[in-house]
């Protein structure tokens, strides 16, 4: 069902060709936003996202970019201004895993994950914030000059053997988010993170597709079900609306209780 909670707003969603990013882009479109769909290599996936948004009656364009490259990150933000005349929301979602035991991990494994999961978030946030600061919003107004949402992970606090690159990037995101929230509040820019738990997407398909993997995952989720992209998308839409105007510098764990140390239960 379409609603108007984000009518007139423009959102850039990185990594929106599948999974959580796709879910968020579609949900933002459903809430009335125009969307710039970023993808890295899955153009077909990005087209699917676009079709779903257009079918729901909102506008969307697709934009290929490696968010870890400064020029491409800038072009992504510029695309919103060029096509839709403004930017209100950046959802920094693009993320990859390249798991390897620490003793085997190469510099390449490290840098690949850092580039997309941390540097890319920095670059897009900076380009977006430079747009947002042009808006003059007074402190007493109950709306923001712009919204930045980082899609992090429960692994910004839960260590995870065999993924030192991934957890280091997610831990880094946590402080990047908080520092930006502190630094940019005077411009009325809100900066927050959503940290999903186990959400059924391609990134963890290998685990939830096998019965054994699925049972292991479920044993880590007190709430008893594996999440869906929609679980994250709903929260992202709400966080981007003025309903959440007084929220900045916060991480929302949307994880069915995964961060509650279930093995102590
Ligand atoms: C990872 C998934 C994993 C989930 C919970 C996410 O950040 O990308 O592979 O299933 O955390 O452990």
């Amino acid at each position: 069902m379409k609603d108007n909670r984000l009518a007139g707003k423009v959102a850039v969603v990185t990594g929106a060709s599948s999974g959580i990013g796709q879910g968020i882009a579609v949900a933002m479109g459903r809430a009335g936003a125009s969307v710039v769909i970023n993808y890295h290599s899955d153009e077909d996936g990005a087209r699917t996202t676009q079709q779903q948004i257009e079918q729901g009656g909102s506008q969307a364009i697709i934009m290929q970019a490696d968010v870890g490259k400064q020029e491409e990150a800038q072009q992504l933000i510029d695309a919103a201004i060029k096509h839709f005349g403004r930017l209100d929301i950046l959802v920094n979602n693009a993320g990859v895993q390249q798991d390897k035991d620490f003793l085997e991990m190469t510099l390449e494994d490290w840098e690949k994950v850092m580039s997309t999961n941390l540097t890319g978030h920095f670059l897009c946030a900076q380009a977006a914030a430079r747009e947002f600061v042009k808006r003059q919003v007074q402190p007493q107004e109950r709306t923001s000059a712009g919204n930045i949402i980082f899609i992090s992970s429960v692994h910004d606090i839960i260590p995870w053997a065999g993924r030192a690159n991934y957890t280091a990037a997610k831990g880094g995101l946590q402080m990047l988010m908080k520092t930006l929230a502190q630094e940019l509040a005077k411009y009325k820019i809100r900066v927050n993170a959503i940290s999903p738990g186990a959400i059924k997407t391609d990134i963890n398909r290998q685990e939830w597709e096998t019965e054994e993997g699925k049972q292991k995952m479920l044993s880590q989720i007190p709430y008893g079900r594996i999440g869906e992209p929609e679980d994250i998308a709903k929260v992202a839409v709400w966080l981007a609306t003025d309903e959440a105007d007084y929220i900045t510098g916060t991480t929302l764990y949307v994880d069915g209780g995964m961060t509650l140390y279930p093995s102590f239960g």
Side-chain angles (χ1 to χ4, degrees), residues 97 152-155 160 166 170 196-199 203-204 207 217 220 258:
Q97 272 183 241
S152 181
S153 164
V154 288
H155 298 293
W160 202 12
Y166 187 78
K170 295 297 184 182
I199 308 297
I203 214 168
N204 49 16
E207 286 150 77
M217 244 181 190
Q220 297 165 334
M258 194 176 238

Side-chain angles (χ1 to χ4, degrees), residues 74-256:
Q74 185 64 51
Q75 283 165 1
L76 186 58
I77 301 303
D78 291 347
I81 311 297
K82 199 168 137 216
H83 289 268
F84 298 122
R86 58 185 290 136
L87 177 66
D88 302 279
I89 303 154
L90 167 67
V91 183
N92 259 326
N93 164 78
V96 292
Q97 272 183 241
Q98 186 144 316
D99 306 348
K100 199 79 69 75
D101 285 348
F102 183 62
L103 299 180
E104 314 300 329
M105 191 172 279
T106 64
L107 181 58
E108 228 181 4
D109 296 325
W110 176 265
E111 285 180 339
K112 182 177 173 196
V113 172
M114 284 294 159
S115 171
T116 302
N117 296 18
L118 189 55
T119 308
H121 287 228
F122 156 71
L123 290 172
C124 292
Q126 188 180 55
R130 284 176 175 161
E131 257 327 299
F132 295 152
V133 295
K134 295 178 190 163
R135 298 226 183 114
Q136 304 292 324
V137 180
Q138 300 306 311
Q140 62 276 13
E141 290 183 56
R142 281 165 170 72
T143 191
S144 69
N147 253 288
I148 300 173
I149 300 174
F150 292 96
I151 304 301
S152 181
S153 164
V154 288
H155 298 293
D156 58 9
I157 51 168
I158 304 178
W160 202 12
R163 286 99 176 159
N165 47 3
Y166 187 78
T167 55
K170 295 297 184 182
L173 265 191
Q174 175 84 279
M175 285 309 283
L176 176 63
M177 180 278 287
K178 287 191 182 189
T179 301
L180 298 191
Q182 190 195 61
E183 190 169 339
L184 301 176
K186 63 173 178 281
Y187 302 107
K188 292 222 64 182
I189 298 172
R190 293 199 291 117
V191 188
N192 292 287
I194 297 174
S195 286
I199 308 297
K200 236 184 217 186
T201 68
D202 286 342
I203 214 168
N204 49 16
R205 178 178 292 280
Q206 274 180 326
E207 286 150 77
W208 56 260
E209 249 181 7
T210 68
E211 192 50 35
E212 195 196 339
K214 192 173 123 192
Q215 289 312 325
K216 182 167 180 222
M217 244 181 190
L218 284 170
S219 75
Q220 297 165 334
I221 309 170
Y223 207 55
R225 72 170 170 90
I226 298 171
E228 303 283 345
E230 182 75 359
D231 289 307
I232 306 303
K234 284 181 195 164
V235 176
V237 169
W238 172 76
L239 195 51
T241 68
D242 290 340
E243 288 287 301
D245 186 53
Y246 210 49
I247 301 181
T248 194
T250 292
T251 299
L252 295 173
Y253 287 90
V254 183
D255 66 350

